[in-house]
Amino acid sequence: MIDSNEQLHQQLKDIKTQLRLSMNGAVSQSMREKGLVYKLNFGVELPRIKSIATAYEKNHALAQALWKEDIRECKILAGLLQPVDSFFPEIADIWLEDIRNIEIAELTCMNLFQHLPYAPAKSLHWIADEREYVQVCGFLTIARLLAKKGDMNERVENEFLDQAVAAFLSGSYHVRNAVMVALRRFMQHAEENAFLVCRRVEEMENSELEAERLLYKAVKEEVIG
């Protein structure tokens, strides 16, 4: 009988073999040119990565081992193969520290973070963090939760809007984009949500600060649609 460590080692080996066989240098090069830097990137396209994932059952040990590999495709597979019930909040925080580009942020939020039972509370902590990709993941997770559920209580709403405005005004390009994804979802849910956001930015139209004018413009474009 194969012990679990040996089985895990074999699965990792098999996955890496499949990734190498699916390598696409042109895709990898194109990603580098767009600023998506990885220690190792086989350039395997997403449908193929998903297809590899379907051959394996969700498995905590395998997902954790894949995440530790500093390889683009392994990190994506980790998010696809990690079971929700064994992914405790402290592990989520550890994974977040390892997220260093927008592709992994978006895919991990989509494939894993949005499904976590503690995602609503955790994402509010993340958006209040100073670290770029922790904030990005917080706003992207909130956007996905809003798309599914759509509503928040008043306290959470105020906290979200306070953090969204603050993060947009002080954040990086990726943080601003993530904020707007979440704000758009929030505004699309109800007329009064759109009104609340407009009230927050109405005095920014002619601000001396470029970031405030940008936020006003982004919100106005969403309202005009």
Side-chain angles (χ1 to χ4, degrees):
M1 187 176 164
I2 304 175
D3 75 10
S4 55
N5 281 343
E6 200 176 322
Q7 188 180 14
L8 179 63
H9 179 73
Q10 191 57 50
Q11 286 177 323
L12 269 177
K13 195 175 160 191
D14 291 345
I15 286 170
K16 286 183 187 174
T17 301
Q18 291 178 72
L19 293 175
R20 285 192 194 94
L21 291 171
S22 308
M23 268 175 83
N24 186 327
V27 171
S28 175
Q29 178 64 29
S30 161
M31 286 178 152
R32 261 198 306 281
E33 286 162 5
K34 289 175 185 149
L36 287 171
V37 179
Y38 292 94
K39 189 169 180 184
L40 198 55
N41 179 357
F42 291 115
V44 182
E45 293 175 49
L46 289 174
R48 175 64 186 136
I49 296 173
K50 285 180 182 167
S51 160
I52 291 171
T54 57
Y56 299 86
E57 288 183 14
K58 293 206 174 214
N59 178 310
H60 181 81
L62 179 58
Q64 294 299 315
L66 284 163
W67 186 261
K68 284 175 186 150
E69 297 282 337
D70 210 350
I71 300 171
R72 168 184 171 260
E73 290 77 5
C74 289
K75 285 220 180 323
I76 297 170
L77 281 164
L80 289 164
L81 292 174
Q82 174 63 50
V84 166
D85 58 0
S86 56
F87 195 74
F88 303 123
E90 54 273 23
I91 306 177
D93 289 333
I94 291 166
W95 277 37
L96 267 182
E97 287 176 17
D98 262 348
I99 294 178
R100 296 191 185 94
N101 72 46
I102 194 64
E103 185 188 29
I104 297 299
E106 287 174 347
L107 291 172
T108 312
C109 289
M110 177 174 72
N111 296 329
L112 179 60
F113 292 164
Q114 67 162 323
H115 304 298
L116 300 170
Y118 51 83
K122 201 67 172 155
S123 54
L124 284 173
H125 286 296
W126 292 343
I127 63 174
D129 199 288
E130 302 271 298
R131 290 166 295 173
E132 179 181 19
Y133 283 106
V134 177
Q135 278 195 321
V136 165
C137 287
F139 284 111
L140 292 180
T141 302
I142 285 173
R144 291 196 167 273
L145 293 172
L146 285 167
K148 286 196 291 192
K149 190 162 162 274
D151 55 348
M152 297 174 167
N153 67 43
E154 195 177 339
R155 184 191 65 76
V156 170
E157 214 167 68
N158 284 328
E159 194 178 333
F160 162 62
L161 292 175
D162 285 347
Q163 292 293 354
V165 171
F168 188 96
L169 297 181
S170 65
S172 67
Y173 171 80
H174 290 308
V175 169
R176 286 180 179 182
N177 282 352
V179 167
M180 283 315 302
V181 171
L183 281 178
R184 279 189 201 103
R185 287 270 188 242
F186 179 74
M187 292 168 75
Q188 287 161 4
H189 180 63
E191 217 38 64
E192 78 190 76
N193 289 6
F195 176 75
L196 278 174
V197 177
C198 289
R199 286 291 302 272
R200 295 265 177 158
V201 303
E202 61 188 350
E203 291 177 7
M204 296 181 185
E205 182 177 10
N206 300 308
S207 168
E208 291 177 9
L209 299 172
E210 187 192 7
E212 290 194 347
R213 295 196 305 274
L214 275 173
L215 178 56
Y216 176 85
K217 187 170 173 243
V219 170
K220 186 181 173 186
E221 282 171 3
E222 177 56 36
V223 172
I224 295 167

